[in-house]
Amino acid sequence: EPEVTQTPSHQVTQMGQEVILRCVPISNHLYFYWYRQILGQKVEFLVSFYNNEISEKSEIFDDQFSVERPDGSNFTLKIRSTKLEDSAMYFCASSPSGSPRNEQFFGPGTRLTVL
Amino acid sequence: DAKTTQPNSMESNEEEPVHLPCNHSTISGTDYIHWYRQLPSQGPEYVIHGLTSNVNNRMASLAIAEDRKSSTLILHRATLRDAAVYYCILKGNTPLVFGKGTRLSVIA
């Protein structure tokens, strides 16, 4: 069964450093998403991506964040200058379309720890 | 986004059916009712969704009230692997908005 994969599973970085989190969505899916979950809190939407551009973003997704689909398979989230409060689980998801009828398939997540 | 209300926690005995309720009195006519779950230390996992009619799949059943203001996720025989946080989410042309969900504990 196809699945969303994410690398690395755990990333430790120093405050102020740049990090890139990687995701490989399901191959025939067209919509891609990033969510985050701070320890003990809700899963929060960050950004959705379709047709090589951002289709929607939340208030969390400020200028420090960017997303890219550099090739036909990877989908990345870059945090330009990490802060302590960026420590969280980051989940990538993909969906065949943006229709409310379609489910989203989530990856296992990357745990980001900012020291 | 329309909001949902779920109990914070529920408990079930193993191999017993579980009914997880969700209220969504402000649902709009085009919102689908989605259920996801999150097992410990894992990403959210799709469970089931529906619009108006009851739905069944290999994981669960979804019973939707006639006025669509509430729904119930039914796990027919809870197993220890079903222990998770279950989220009821109204889905329109918007991203998924996760609430706190219901934490289901399954007792052996």
Side-chain angles (χ1 to χ4, degrees):
Chain A
E1 189 171 319
E3 59 183 17
V4 176
T5 59
Q6 291 186 242
T7 54
S9 57
H10 191 188
Q11 174 88 48
V12 181
T13 190
Q14 295 290 326
M15 191 169 55
Q17 294 296 305
E18 174 183 287
V19 294
I20 298 175
L21 310 183
R22 292 183 167 80
C23 168
V24 178
I26 294 173
S27 63
N28 61 346
H29 285 186
L30 300 178
Y31 279 75
F32 314 115
Y33 310 85
W34 284 101
Y35 294 80
R36 80 171 185 190
Q37 186 174 33
I38 295 170
L39 186 63
Q41 297 188 23
K42 299 178 194 177
V43 177
E44 300 173 288
F45 167 74
L46 292 178
V47 66
S48 59
F49 192 84
Y50 168 71
N51 201 26
N52 278 322
E53 59 184 34
I54 291 173
S55 51
E56 194 163 350
K57 60 182 181 179
S58 71
E59 290 178 353
I60 303 167
F61 194 87
D62 61 23
D63 292 344
Q64 292 298 315
F65 291 89
S66 62
V67 288
E68 193 178 31
R69 188 153 162 83
D71 53 41
S73 58
N74 289 284
F75 179 51
T76 62
L77 175 69
K78 182 193 289 186
I79 308 175
R80 193 165 297 120
S81 177
T82 50
K83 308 184 193 78
L84 295 176
E85 55 264 38
D86 293 327
S87 294
M89 284 291 292
Y90 288 81
F91 297 108
C92 173
S94 70
S95 181
S97 78
S99 166
R101 288 194 301 272
N102 284 139
E103 63 267 39
Q104 292 182 17
F105 294 81
F106 285 78
T110 292
R111 180 175 299 283
L112 177 64
T113 302
V114 182
L115 302 176
Chain B
D1 291 319
K3 292 188 176 177
T4 63
T5 304
Q6 300 179 251
N8 290 332
S9 62
M10 291 185 65
E11 202 172 80
S12 172
N13 293 318
E14 198 177 10
E15 299 190 9
E16 294 288 318
V18 183
H19 290 232
L20 297 164
C22 181
N23 287 319
H24 31 78
S25 58
T26 59
I27 189 170
S28 77
T30 54
D31 285 338
Y32 279 73
I33 302 158
H34 282 241
W35 283 80
Y36 285 76
R37 71 180 185 180
Q38 189 173 22
L39 278 64
S41 302
Q42 295 190 27
E45 175 187 27
Y46 166 79
V47 178
I48 199 166
H49 75 278
L51 183 62
T52 56
S53 304
N54 295 344
V55 185
N56 299 297
N57 67 18
R58 63 178 179 82
M59 288 182 73
S61 296
L62 177 59
I64 301 172
E66 200 168 325
D67 63 5
R68 300 208 328 126
K69 292 185 177 182
S70 65
S71 60
T72 302
L73 179 71
I74 302 164
L75 306 180
H76 296 285
R77 285 178 71 244
T79 70
L80 296 178
R81 290 178 299 172
D82 292 321
V85 179
Y86 287 78
Y87 302 99
C88 169
I89 300 172
L90 300 183
K91 181 77 172 68
N93 290 316
T94 53
L96 292 172
V97 177
F98 287 82
K100 293 183 179 178
T102 297
R103 182 173 298 278
L104 176 67
S105 302
V106 180
I107 303 167

